[in-house]
Amino acid sequence: MDAAYADLKERLGEIHDLQKTRALLAWDQQVLMPPGGSGVRAEQIATLDRIAHTTFSSDEIGRLLDRLESFEADRPYDSDEASLVRVTRLDWEKARRVPAELRAEMSRASSLALPVWAAARQTSNFALFLPLLRENLELRRRYIDCFDTYDEPYDVLLDDYERGTTTAEVRAVFERLKVDQVPLVAGATREGERPGRDRPFPLEAQRQFELQVLERFGFERASWRLDPTVHPFASSLGTDDIRLTTRYHEQNLDGLFASMHECGHGLYEHGVSRSLERTPLARGTSLGLHESQSRLWENLVGRSLSFWRFFFPRLRDTFPEALGDVELEDWYASVNWVQPSPIRVEADEATYNLHVILRFELEQELLAGSVEPAELSEIWNARMLDYLGIEPANDRLGVLQDMHWAGGHIGYFSTYALGNVISAQIWERIASELPDLDAQFEQGEFGELRDWLTERLYRHGRKFTPKEMLERIVGGPIDPDPYLRYLGTKLATLT
Amino acid sequence: MDAAYADLKERLGEIHDLQKTRALLAWDQQVLMPPGGSGVRAEQIATLDRIAHTTFSSDEIGRLLDRLESFEADRPYDSDEASLVRVTRLDWEKARRVPAELRAEMSRASSLALPVWAAARQTSNFALFLPLLRENLELRRRYIDCFDTYDEPYDVLLDDYERGTTTAEVRAVFERLKVDQVPLVAGATREGERPGRDRPFPLEAQRQFELQVLERFGFERASWRLDPTVHPFASSLGTDDIRLTTRYHEQNLDGLFASMHECGHGLYEHGVSRSLERTPLARGTSLGLHESQSRLWENLVGRSLSFWRFFFPRLRDTFPEALGDVELEDWYASVNWVQPSPIRVEADEATYNLHVILRFELEQELLAGSVEPAELSEIWNARMLDYLGIEPANDRLGVLQDMHWAGGHIGYFSTYALGNVISAQIWERIASELPDLDAQFEQGEFGELRDWLTERLYRHGRKFTPKEMLERIVGGPIDPDPYLRYLGTKLATLT
């Protein structure tokens, strides 16, 4: 019996190696690769995906899982061993439904689409991107056809990112957010000049300042990297090889918030128990839980007054030309400035969810065929006007801004707003258990927060479903109220 | 029959993807990876090696090769198709002899050894490296035991880098070199101050100047990268994804020569016919032929007077503080300065082969057990005194200087001196066919040379054995005379 477990673990270790190697292929492609490499890179990624999928969805894995039924039942639900068998069984049953060739086609299509998307975005040329979007949608329809147990087709896509969460559940949360947030945004939108914008922020100084912040969060040079890219992301190539990417703007500090955001993802991956290394549990529970951590470190920490009480004097010393005439209170208002804008990743906390809800709705309409890909740009712009009161000047600032649909990640966006909602639920819990946190932030100390999150969330990796995990931390299901409370309170202090 | 060929090609394409991905894992490890990643990185490399080896040495590949016997016989020897079947058959027969587990152990041992070697080198601590050297030697002995058709055990290792070349053949060439080069070095050693050394060469300006040189050689930003590392190397992740690495010194331009050297490797890989992409023929013939190209571009081009007639005025403009008082003739003497020194990669053309011959002899003695690993440092230093008249001050400058033995590459070093020998053989041929070359170099033009090499050598990839390839280019076997002639002539003009 133990031999079967050791056998399963070794096979899963190899598959994990392939997946982490695949993550390096993708990281390299987005950070460093010369463009000439894209053709063979797509083949390399497709090959690794195919081998990983074929090895994982094999009969042998199924037989080992069968043999391990009583092994699993004999062990505590939250043990490494029972969790590995339980989660692997769910993964395996799902993987068995998808032919290896379809998997390979999906990954090849997304590798080939990424450079085309980048070119289309650069030139704001939606027509260039359109055939790839059609192909990715068609591939997702074929993917959905592999399954039969769902209420709505979109459930299948959502389940890949947020296991066990249905479209109906997300819709209920989002409807509530929309009802409250659309008028909230209209009321909280700031007029006048935003302090500390359009000033010179030399890039190398930004990088040095960011590293100071990230190192206080937990970034260590022995196990982390920070590199520039087009669309920031975080990647874990191993629990002690965490790669953050960011982008810098010469005239503002938006890049700092992108870096804090990605650092939240990195802290989660880095905090997973070393006993889970090289297993499929060595990553975050779900994208929603993951995003709750990036948003927590970016917003609940990085846009708090206590955080800036510590860092603002240092920031002003670093950028005297840009910030010499700016006071802490102005800066705090600036980093929490509510103003509808076209780009999701630069959106403030009040408008961000509306960007996501727009995509969540459009994805379902595209899949159902009630929106044609060719008319997407027009509908995108019209809906931006409805929800945010603005229209993007071009597709670069509109439908082409994000890489997700080029990468085939349809169903992914909603996890961003779920992350916001969950971050506030967890934050209310933390605030009740660590009442001293603001005082610590004012001293530049974030260790107690990181330790709390590691103990309650990070170390468990992917042992539990998102619902189980949230229940363990906050004692209940997903709930938009804490986020709306947090937002209401913060905006009230700012206007 | 064509279906069998298509099947073979598809399987080989997947294996090639795994090998190129493995090359990225290694490139990343040496260029960027945070040290914390080394544990799982070793597992990732071992897993990829194991899968590639198992897939390649399978019965299915053997059956396909059997079915393709008449397919191969029906096609010209130098056709892509016949060459792919022929070379694959030799590779397969060799691979079948080595158990997958031994392969995996070898690659895991080398991945784990590299960071330890780097630490041992840093602190000049041979004792730290000793157990790893013992393990690598033992693994190579087990590897040799997998074979039975050789005259000397070392033949097995040599054959991996220089197929079909025996220890006896290399020994004959090296004995001839040693007889002539030891007295040559003694007679040509320069006294006095070497011009243009120990001056300030700002790193960013070096990088910019290097790129100017490399771009004239054929480096294009769309398909190449140049990054700093500890021990320079070149890696091809695809024919249009060429990665050069180099190292910079603040007080001299040795890094430029390292970059021209690696560029020669890159030009070879980049010049392979696109019809061979994603096949095992999509790389250089052998390490010796490969090195002939790095040495050709570094030395026969990059240390020639005509090259510097073009570049020296530009170099002096770039580094006025370092070179303002240096004339072209002084600089030409400086870059061809003969002076025994401890570090192989910094050795001049007259002493370089002696560094290699020392390693070639020690490797055989270590394998045979006539030299104990524990006494290696002492013997190394004594032999340096014999051949070069100097003793390294410490092991960092002696036995720990190169990564090869840490990486398990025993048998590799000799290809460096073979490369020198072959480079001069090819150069004599080029000189007879392109008499105008010096005039072109004086104009900064290297295209005709690159085209000649691409047509005669690069495009063929790995279709031919080193002996066949050399026969095709120069019409004869390996011959040390052209190198000794080249060296004698050059040194005569310099002293």
Side-chain angles (χ1 to χ4, degrees), chain A residues 324-391:
Chain A
D325 62 345
V326 176
E327 298 301 319
L328 169 63
E329 290 65 29
D330 303 326
W331 180 251
Y332 177 62
S334 179
V335 301
N336 289 290
W337 206 252
V338 175
Q339 194 163 51
S341 68
I343 300 287
R344 173 185 61 84
V345 296
E346 293 168 3
D348 57 78
E349 288 178 277
T351 57
Y352 191 97
N353 288 340
L354 300 176
H355 287 267
V356 170
I357 293 168
L358 176 151
R359 289 157 175 79
F360 171 72
E361 293 170 352
L362 283 176
E363 285 179 343
Q364 293 171 69
E365 290 161 314
L366 282 165
L367 273 178
S370 59
V371 164
E372 277 300 308
E375 54 184 3
L376 184 60
S377 162
E378 201 180 325
I379 294 178
W380 177 290
N381 295 346
R383 204 139 331 158
M384 282 293 288
L385 199 58
D386 276 0
Y387 293 173
L388 287 160
I390 58 164
E391 255 192 307

Side-chain angles (χ1 to χ4, degrees), chain B residues 390-403:
Chain B
I390 57 165
E391 257 193 305
N394 56 48
D395 290 332
R396 180 186 161 87
L397 299 172
V399 67
L400 290 175
Q401 67 186 268
D402 286 310
M403 72 194 306

Side-chain angles (χ1 to χ4, degrees), chain B residues 65-85:
Chain B
L65 290 168
D66 285 345
R67 284 176 56 197
L68 287 165
E69 268 178 29
S70 66
F71 173 93
E72 180 194 349
D74 289 346
R75 279 163 179 78
Y77 187 86
D78 62 356
S79 66
D80 285 2
E81 293 79 7
S83 300
L84 184 65
V85 175

Side-chain angles (χ1 to χ4, degrees), chain A residues 278-436:
Chain A
R278 289 188 77 235
T279 77
L281 307 185
R283 56 184 170 103
T285 307
S286 68
L287 291 191
L289 260 302
H290 234 302
E291 192 71 6
S292 80
Q293 295 312 296
S294 53
R295 301 295 282 176
L296 185 148
W297 287 94
E298 175 193 358
N299 291 335
L300 292 140
V301 177
R303 294 185 205 270
S304 70
L305 187 56
S306 48
F307 173 93
W308 285 112
R309 283 217 168 93
F310 178 78
F311 277 114
F312 186 67
R314 289 160 176 80
L315 187 74
R316 199 161 49 179
D317 286 349
T318 307
F319 302 104
E321 193 185 340
L323 299 176
D325 62 345
V326 176
E327 298 301 319
L328 169 63
E329 290 65 29
D330 303 326
W331 180 251
Y332 177 62
S334 179
V335 301
N336 289 290
W337 206 252
V338 175
Q339 194 163 51
S341 68
I343 300 287
R344 173 185 61 84
V345 296
E346 293 168 3
D348 57 78
E349 288 178 277
T351 57
Y352 191 97
N353 288 340
L354 300 176
H355 287 267
V356 170
I357 293 168
L358 176 151
R359 289 157 175 79
F360 171 72
E361 293 170 352
L362 283 176
E363 285 179 343
Q364 293 171 69
E365 290 161 314
L366 282 165
L367 273 178
S370 59
V371 164
E372 277 300 308
E375 54 184 3
L376 184 60
S377 162
E378 201 180 325
I379 294 178
W380 177 290
N381 295 346
R383 204 139 331 158
M384 282 293 288
L385 199 58
D386 276 0
Y387 293 173
L388 287 160
I390 58 164
E391 255 192 307
N394 56 47
D395 290 333
R396 179 186 162 87
L397 299 171
V399 67
L400 290 174
Q401 68 184 267
D402 285 310
M403 72 193 306
H404 301 62
W405 292 344
H409 301 299
I410 298 168
Y412 186 127
F413 279 119
S414 52
T415 66
Y416 291 133
L418 298 178
N420 282 333
V421 168
I422 295 168
S423 73
Q425 287 186 267
I426 294 177
W427 196 252
E428 282 198 351
R429 184 74 192 198
I430 294 170
S432 75
E433 295 194 19
L434 306 177
D436 189 36

Side-chain angles (χ1 to χ4, degrees), chain A residues 5 71-72 75-76 78-86 463:
Chain A
Y5 182 73
F71 173 94
E72 180 195 347
R75 278 160 179 80
D78 63 355
S79 67
D80 285 1
E81 294 80 6
S83 300
L84 184 65
V85 175
R86 180 179 68 249
K463 280 184 175 178

